[in-house]
Each structure stands twice: as structure tokens, then as C-alpha cells.
Amino acid sequence: MEMHFQLALSLGVVFIAGLLRGFTGFGAVMMIVPAFALFDDVRAAVPIGLFMDLVAGLLLLPRIRRHICCSLILPMGILALATIPLGVGLLAWLDPDLSRRMIAVLVMLFAVVLAAGWRYRGPITRATSAAAGAIVGLLVGWTGMGGPPAVAFVLSTNLDAGAARASLTGLFLATTSFALLNLAMQGMIGPDILLRAATLAPAFMAGTWIGGVLFDPQRESLYRLVTLSSLATVSIAVLIGG
């Protein structure tokens, strides 16, 4: 009975995460990782969140690949790939409960940053792109969540909305794939994680599709408020929980 309840709860979480992704284009991993960490080991929550993000990226890639700005994403991607092993090492080394609570704090901070509409205001150079990529890679490897700093940096450039979204999707596909490879090399992805990810993926895909269909551009601010409030609620639950 407990196993069936956990499966139903997991399906519900990834479905809601998919809805958030479909509504706003972000928030899926930020929802999945801390929510799963409430009833599971954070070292299982991170790869499952990354697998769901990989599914979303692969679904989008055929439509957006021509719009990816390689001159911006390549410096970020190279440094991100270099620091992902450091983040995975942190996940493997730190006490899981400490990681769980720190991830909850990060989600709360990210929600505040996204709600405030903060953007990077400095110069856009190869050096700053590489520095942003290094931060993204470290966070992806450790928490699965490199999205907010990447979004804050890329949206500060002069890219139009379509190119920015495509470039972020390309960056996340690369970092997610490499993070999963490193997690597997650390022994944190076994047959059980693969089976769970495969079981949960259809619910996530359904949520993403429904969220996209129901999305109304005139209500984007409402969807963002719902998303950020949901993320903050999950974070508080993790910090209050045992």
C-alpha cells in the first residue's frame, strides 16, 4: 500500500511539474527535486528531475534547434560541462539531509529572483558567459537546477524571446545529459531510477502538453504567480519537514 501511495504521489508531482513547464516554460525541476526530497533520498530526486527535464528538452529540440545562439551558449556550455562533475561530487559527498535543506533554500531564493524579474546588468563577454556557465554547471550537478541563473543571464542579452528560449533549451539539454552521465558514473543511477523515470515520464509529458494547450498569453502573470507560489510552498514544506 505504501509503495502504491508513493507512486501515486510521484505521478501527481511530475504531472503538476509538467503543467508548470507547459504554462511558463520553467519550474519543472525546481518543483520535482524538493518535492521528491520530502519522501525520498535527494540523491534519487535529482536524477529523476533531470530525466524529466531531458524529456522536455528533447520534445522541444526539433522546433528550436535553428534558433540557438551558439556564440553565447558555447562559452557557457563549455564551463558548465567542466563544473558539473564538481556539483555531482557535492551531491555524493554532502549529507543528504543537508543537501535537501540547502536545495529548498535555493528554490526559495530562485523564486524570489524570478518574481522580482532580476537580470544580469553587466557586460556580456566570453568571460562573463563562461562564469555564468560555471555557476550553472555546478548547480545542475549538485541540485539539478541550473535554470534560474541561466535565465537571468541569457535574458539580459539582446536576443529576442525565441532565440533566448531556444538557446536556454540547448544549454539545458547539454548540461542535463552530461549531469546524468556523471551521476551514472558515480553509481547514483541504477535500474531502479531508470524504471521510475520511465514510469513517470508519460505523466510529465501529459502535464506539459496540457499546460501548453491551456496557456493564455494574457494570463502569463497569473501562471507565473501560481508557479512561484507553488515552488515557495514546496520549499517551506521541505524546511519544516523532518
Side-chain angles (χ1 to χ4, degrees), residues 129-145:
S129 297
I135 295 171
V136 169
L138 184 67
L139 289 173
V140 169
W142 174 31
T143 69
M145 305 178 301

Side-chain angles (χ1 to χ4, degrees), residues 79-91 106 131-146 175:
L79 265 293
L81 296 183
T83 55
I84 281 172
L86 297 177
V88 171
L90 273 177
L91 180 64
L106 282 173
I135 295 171
V136 169
L138 184 67
L139 289 173
V140 169
W142 174 31
T143 69
M145 305 178 301
T175 54

Side-chain angles (χ1 to χ4, degrees), residues 76-102:
M76 291 183 69
I78 291 171
L79 265 293
L81 296 183
T83 55
I84 281 172
L86 297 177
V88 171
L90 273 177
L91 180 64
W93 176 68
L94 286 176
D95 176 73
D97 185 61
L98 177 61
S99 281
R100 179 175 65 87
R101 293 181 180 278
M102 292 179 74

Side-chain angles (χ1 to χ4, degrees), residues 37-226:
L38 280 168
F39 55 85
D40 206 343
D41 190 326
V42 70
R43 293 172 185 168
V46 169
I48 289 173
L50 287 172
F51 271 120
M52 297 305 104
D53 199 48
L54 182 64
V55 168
L58 290 174
L59 290 174
L60 288 171
L61 185 62
R63 296 198 311 241
I64 57 86
R65 65 179 185 275
R66 295 181 180 178
H67 303 289
I68 295 174
C69 179
C70 294
S71 61
L72 174 68
I73 294 304
L74 277 177
M76 291 183 69
I78 291 171
L79 265 293
L81 296 183
T83 55
I84 281 172
L86 297 177
V88 171
L90 273 177
L91 180 64
W93 176 68
L94 286 176
D95 176 73
D97 185 61
L98 177 61
S99 281
R100 179 175 65 87
R101 293 181 180 278
M102 292 179 74
I103 286 171
V105 171
L106 282 173
V107 172
M108 184 75 74
L109 290 175
F110 289 159
V112 171
V113 167
L114 291 168
W118 185 85
R119 300 286 185 270
Y120 171 73
R121 303 299 181 188
I124 305 298
T125 65
R126 289 185 178 179
T128 55
S129 297
I135 295 171
V136 169
L138 184 67
L139 289 173
V140 169
W142 174 31
T143 69
M145 305 178 301
V151 169
F153 184 79
V154 170
L155 292 187
S156 68
T157 68
N158 58 3
L159 293 179
D160 61 56
R165 190 180 182 100
S167 300
L168 286 166
T169 300
L171 176 66
F172 296 152
L173 264 175
T175 54
T176 297
S177 301
F178 193 61
L180 287 169
L181 175 62
N182 276 265
L183 287 166
M185 292 172 62
Q186 286 281 350
M188 284 188 275
I189 298 180
D192 57 329
I193 296 294
L194 293 174
L195 179 60
R196 289 177 64 186
T199 303
L200 298 172
F204 179 76
M205 294 168 65
T208 303
W209 180 79
I210 293 172
V213 169
L214 297 178
F215 175 71
D216 180 354
Q218 295 182 349
R219 297 184 177 181
E220 183 175 3
S221 59
L222 174 62
Y223 296 145
R224 289 178 64 87
L225 176 62
V226 171

